[in-house]
Amino acid sequence: MGWQLLFDNYNASADIVVLTICIVTGIFLATSFSVRTKTFGLFTAMLGGLFFAAMTDILLHICYDHVSGGNYTVVYVLRVLFHFFLFFLLFLFILYLLALLDPTEKKKMTVITVSATAGVMLIITDILLSVFMFGFHIEPDGTEVPGLNIFIPGYAFFIVIIISLLFGIGDRLYSKTVISILGSILVSFMMLYNEIRFGKSSYTVSAFLFPILSILYLFHSNPYNIDTGTISVSALKETVEYNYSHKRDFYYVCLYLPDFASEGKALPKDLQAAIRQFPAKYFKRSALFQVSNGFMFLMVPGKHNPDCEEGLRDTVRAFTKEYKRFRYNYKLVIGKSIDVISRKNEYLSFIKGILRRTRINSIHMVDNRDVNDFNASDAVLLELEDINAKHDLNDPRVLAYCQPVLNLKTGKYDTAEALMRLNFPGLGMVYPDLFIPIAEENGHIHVLTEIILHKTCEAIKKLLNEGYDVNRISVNVSMHELRDAGFTKDIENIIASDAVPNGKVAIEITESQTDSDFMIVKSMIEELKGTGITFYLDDFGTGFSNLERIMKLPFDTIKFDRSLVTACKTDKRSEEIVRRLAGMLSELDYSVLYEGIEEENDEIRCGSMSASYLQGYRYSRPIPIEELEGFFTKE
Ligand code: C2E
Ligand code: CA
Ligand code: CA
């Protein structure tokens, strides 16, 4: 006895367990998120192969036990099918490894041809052996004769190919992964060995289970973050690729929480719960990817959410409701899949670009302009590099626009804010919300400031020469350039060489976010004192201004941000706070300027809140600096 797989020693329980595991795994895969890669397709095929192998094994034995009239054809057919499924599984396993190892096309084709041919030959031999009674056959009295068994050498052959693949081109795989796969193959080998050794035949299919489970665990498990229900962002690219190649639209909802953007700052428990429950409440089969602690990307398949446009509107409503509960700072970006971005698979950089341009606590609906901006950003960067390299203070690509500011004491326009625009051949006009972040990140912002400062000085001199009453024009500088040691020297040089009269140039600088930035601003202001430049605090009310800090710096003007002007429109309490703040600052001899005055009501309200200056679309949109003549008056 021994060394034979005998029908008599068969018991279906092991195969039933395999069937059950296949079904349960299928349910897991259907209900949880999986990255739809090519290897995932192979994996599901393997799972199917295993299912059918177990199924035919059970059927084969049932038929053998119940055959009447001595016609065993069905048993023969099922037995061949059974072997076919097992060899097919081994073949799929080889395809899977090839997809992982990615050898040269030639090697790949050789391995595929050799294994496929071997598989076909093995099955044919199996059939022939039975037909000519050398192999397995059943005597007319019903006793089985094992005969020559081709399955065992066939199995050994495939295992040799698999192991030589793992060792031959295995350095592409992480070594611990290789060890896991080898370990699972060893377990399966031991099972088969013992089964054959002791003349049992119940565990053949279950032996194949382990390598398949090792693949599931190693390559297709996408562990959910238990707290937030999110999936690692590494799966996003492959999911986008799958959707794009299958022409499937999707919607996305990106939540950015700046307060939790830095690593290590965990989300509070109640916020985690809200994030965990949110997607399922509004969408079917959505997947929530976690980019970083404070940045989540919800992908909603269009196919399963045909009324998604409506759903997105619901999302905004639901989000606003949830927001009232938490009140953390946020930015929300919502949109539909776009072919160009999907093809390049660049949603994250696309969204990051939009996030940079999106105001805090606002919702941005992605539109065509965002795509154009995204496509333009590479081109913009090239131009900026060139502007930086040429360092020409008269560079025609950098345009000085400006917005006249109304002086309430005189009722006239005698100051203005310089605002930059870029004009590139082929691209046309590019606006600050696109190019400022690119310039800042790539170290090209300073040259732009120098050019705008120079052009502003030239404009001031021209206006003065023509007899216009110019109190002052302000220029924006960025915190990024202040951190460079050479900043003040460069500004002094331009002011000196342009010889603009004292006191006609102001610098706008936004509130500092950190102590070290505050120290940098402080020393910048001290170093530039001698130049006659005055300093404005820009965007007051958007950061974390500390009055004590503000008063430590010699600001001339405090510019109240547009968001405060907007808040006063609807909220009495905000109005009261702004009114008192402005009153206090103006008593301390600061000039108060309100930005974003758009309508008469803004003008009346802000005018009554200690304002010295008003600025906004109500008076003028940004115009080319030469057109200031139309606003300024002659003495
Ligand atoms: P900012 O310094 O707060 O400039 C005011 C922005 O508000 C300008 O946008 C202006 O066009 C816009 N604005 C003015 N009045 C109204 C209004 O009534 N309603 C609304 N909705 N908006 C109004 P712009 O020109 O697009 O500039 C955006 C930002 O880009 C500026 O914000 C500033 O931070 C930056 N920026 C602009 N030019 C320069 C520059 O030369 N250097 C640097 N470093 N930054 C600049
Ligand atoms: Ca400004
Ligand atoms: Ca501002």
mmCIF file of all heavy atoms in Angstrom, residues 506-522:
data_model
loop_
_atom_site.group_PDB
_atom_site.id
_atom_site.type_symbol
_atom_site.label_atom_id
_atom_site.label_comp_id
_atom_site.label_asym_id
_atom_site.label_seq_id
_atom_site.Cartn_x
_atom_site.Cartn_y
_atom_site.Cartn_z
ATOM 1 N N ALA A 506 5.464 101.128 -0.067
ATOM 2 C CA ALA A 506 5.146 100.347 1.132
ATOM 3 C C ALA A 506 5.314 98.864 0.811
ATOM 4 O O ALA A 506 5.222 98.457 -0.357
ATOM 5 C CB ALA A 506 3.721 100.630 1.589
ATOM 6 N N ILE A 507 5.576 98.097 1.841
ATOM 7 C CA ILE A 507 5.663 96.640 1.677
ATOM 8 C C ILE A 507 4.534 96.001 2.474
ATOM 9 O O ILE A 507 4.335 96.339 3.645
ATOM 10 C CB ILE A 507 7.039 96.116 2.144
ATOM 11 C CG1 ILE A 507 8.081 96.400 1.064
ATOM 12 C CG2 ILE A 507 6.974 94.632 2.464
ATOM 13 C CD1 ILE A 507 9.457 95.847 1.375
ATOM 14 N N GLU A 508 3.787 95.118 1.813
ATOM 15 C CA GLU A 508 2.721 94.380 2.508
ATOM 16 C C GLU A 508 3.249 93.016 2.907
ATOM 17 O O GLU A 508 3.836 92.310 2.088
ATOM 18 C CB GLU A 508 1.512 94.176 1.581
ATOM 19 C CG GLU A 508 0.835 95.469 1.193
ATOM 20 C CD GLU A 508 -0.531 95.231 0.560
ATOM 21 O OE1 GLU A 508 -1.014 94.080 0.577
ATOM 22 O OE2 GLU A 508 -1.104 96.218 0.050
ATOM 23 N N ILE A 509 3.027 92.692 4.148
ATOM 24 C CA ILE A 509 3.494 91.388 4.601
ATOM 25 C C ILE A 509 2.405 90.749 5.454
ATOM 26 O O ILE A 509 1.774 91.420 6.258
ATOM 27 C CB ILE A 509 4.845 91.543 5.354
ATOM 28 C CG1 ILE A 509 5.349 90.205 5.895
ATOM 29 C CG2 ILE A 509 4.770 92.537 6.491
ATOM 30 C CD1 ILE A 509 6.227 89.538 4.894
ATOM 31 N N THR A 510 2.153 89.457 5.196
ATOM 32 C CA THR A 510 1.056 88.807 5.936
ATOM 33 C C THR A 510 1.505 88.414 7.336
ATOM 34 O O THR A 510 2.694 88.390 7.629
ATOM 35 C CB THR A 510 0.568 87.537 5.206
ATOM 36 O OG1 THR A 510 1.705 86.737 4.944
ATOM 37 C CG2 THR A 510 -0.120 87.876 3.914
ATOM 38 N N GLU A 511 0.514 88.122 8.161
ATOM 39 C CA GLU A 511 0.801 87.754 9.542
ATOM 40 C C GLU A 511 1.738 86.561 9.619
ATOM 41 O O GLU A 511 1.621 85.633 8.833
ATOM 42 C CB GLU A 511 -0.501 87.332 10.242
ATOM 43 C CG GLU A 511 -1.557 88.398 10.233
ATOM 44 C CD GLU A 511 -2.873 87.829 10.735
ATOM 45 O OE1 GLU A 511 -2.836 87.118 11.743
ATOM 46 O OE2 GLU A 511 -3.907 88.080 10.102
ATOM 47 N N SER A 512 2.623 86.579 10.589
ATOM 48 C CA SER A 512 3.536 85.448 10.763
ATOM 49 C C SER A 512 2.804 84.302 11.436
ATOM 50 O O SER A 512 1.943 84.504 12.279
ATOM 51 C CB SER A 512 4.717 85.842 11.652
ATOM 52 O OG SER A 512 5.312 86.988 11.144
ATOM 53 N N GLN A 513 3.165 83.106 11.031
ATOM 54 C CA GLN A 513 2.531 81.925 11.622
ATOM 55 C C GLN A 513 3.353 81.358 12.767
ATOM 56 O O GLN A 513 2.839 80.663 13.618
ATOM 57 C CB GLN A 513 2.344 80.836 10.557
ATOM 58 C CG GLN A 513 1.638 81.309 9.304
ATOM 59 C CD GLN A 513 0.148 81.559 9.514
ATOM 60 O OE1 GLN A 513 -0.409 81.166 10.528
ATOM 61 N NE2 GLN A 513 -0.488 82.237 8.580
ATOM 62 N N THR A 514 4.656 81.632 12.755
ATOM 63 C CA THR A 514 5.497 81.039 13.802
ATOM 64 C C THR A 514 6.385 82.103 14.428
ATOM 65 O O THR A 514 6.567 83.188 13.874
ATOM 66 C CB THR A 514 6.423 79.963 13.216
ATOM 67 O OG1 THR A 514 7.272 80.595 12.251
ATOM 68 C CG2 THR A 514 5.641 78.848 12.542
ATOM 69 N N ASP A 515 6.964 81.775 15.574
ATOM 70 C CA ASP A 515 7.854 82.705 16.255
ATOM 71 C C ASP A 515 9.066 83.036 15.406
ATOM 72 O O ASP A 515 9.497 84.182 15.345
ATOM 73 C CB ASP A 515 8.324 82.092 17.582
ATOM 74 C CG ASP A 515 7.188 82.088 18.598
ATOM 75 O OD1 ASP A 515 6.403 83.058 18.598
ATOM 76 O OD2 ASP A 515 7.088 81.110 19.360
ATOM 77 N N SER A 516 9.614 82.015 14.744
ATOM 78 C CA SER A 516 10.837 82.292 13.987
ATOM 79 C C SER A 516 10.522 83.205 12.807
ATOM 80 O O SER A 516 11.306 84.105 12.500
ATOM 81 C CB SER A 516 11.515 80.998 13.544
ATOM 82 O OG SER A 516 10.726 80.376 12.570
ATOM 83 N N ASP A 517 9.348 83.018 12.157
ATOM 84 C CA ASP A 517 8.964 83.934 11.085
ATOM 85 C C ASP A 517 8.797 85.351 11.630
ATOM 86 O O ASP A 517 9.185 86.331 10.990
ATOM 87 C CB ASP A 517 7.647 83.480 10.436
ATOM 88 C CG ASP A 517 7.890 82.360 9.432
ATOM 89 O OD1 ASP A 517 9.067 81.984 9.253
ATOM 90 O OD2 ASP A 517 6.914 81.860 8.844
ATOM 91 N N PHE A 518 8.215 85.447 12.798
ATOM 92 C CA PHE A 518 8.018 86.762 13.398
ATOM 93 C C PHE A 518 9.371 87.463 13.579
ATOM 94 O O PHE A 518 9.531 88.640 13.260
ATOM 95 C CB PHE A 518 7.298 86.608 14.746
ATOM 96 C CG PHE A 518 7.212 87.881 15.526
ATOM 97 C CD1 PHE A 518 6.278 88.848 15.200
ATOM 98 C CD2 PHE A 518 8.074 88.121 16.584
ATOM 99 C CE1 PHE A 518 6.204 90.034 15.911
ATOM 100 C CE2 PHE A 518 8.002 89.299 17.299
ATOM 101 C CZ PHE A 518 7.064 90.260 16.963
ATOM 102 N N MET A 519 10.361 86.718 14.069
ATOM 103 C CA MET A 519 11.689 87.304 14.277
ATOM 104 C C MET A 519 12.292 87.750 12.947
ATOM 105 O O MET A 519 12.946 88.794 12.876
ATOM 106 C CB MET A 519 12.631 86.283 14.952
ATOM 107 C CG MET A 519 12.235 85.882 16.366
ATOM 108 S SD MET A 519 11.838 87.280 17.432
ATOM 109 C CE MET A 519 13.450 88.065 17.550
ATOM 110 N N ILE A 520 12.052 86.969 11.905
ATOM 111 C CA ILE A 520 12.590 87.320 10.585
ATOM 112 C C ILE A 520 11.957 88.621 10.088
ATOM 113 O O ILE A 520 12.641 89.531 9.622
ATOM 114 C CB ILE A 520 12.337 86.175 9.583
ATOM 115 C CG1 ILE A 520 13.209 84.977 9.949
ATOM 116 C CG2 ILE A 520 12.597 86.623 8.160
ATOM 117 C CD1 ILE A 520 12.901 83.722 9.157
ATOM 118 N N VAL A 521 10.617 88.734 10.236
ATOM 119 C CA VAL A 521 9.929 89.948 9.795
ATOM 120 C C VAL A 521 10.448 91.152 10.588
ATOM 121 O O VAL A 521 10.709 92.225 10.032
ATOM 122 C CB VAL A 521 8.403 89.802 9.982
ATOM 123 C CG1 VAL A 521 7.703 91.115 9.715
ATOM 124 C CG2 VAL A 521 7.866 88.721 9.054
ATOM 125 N N LYS A 522 10.627 90.926 11.878
ATOM 126 C CA LYS A 522 11.082 92.018 12.743
ATOM 127 C C LYS A 522 12.449 92.534 12.270
ATOM 128 O O LYS A 522 12.648 93.747 12.120
ATOM 129 C CB LYS A 522 11.172 91.490 14.183
ATOM 130 C CG LYS A 522 11.340 92.544 15.231
ATOM 131 C CD LYS A 522 10.923 91.984 16.599
ATOM 132 C CE LYS A 522 11.037 93.025 17.694
ATOM 133 N NZ LYS A 522 12.393 93.155 18.231
#
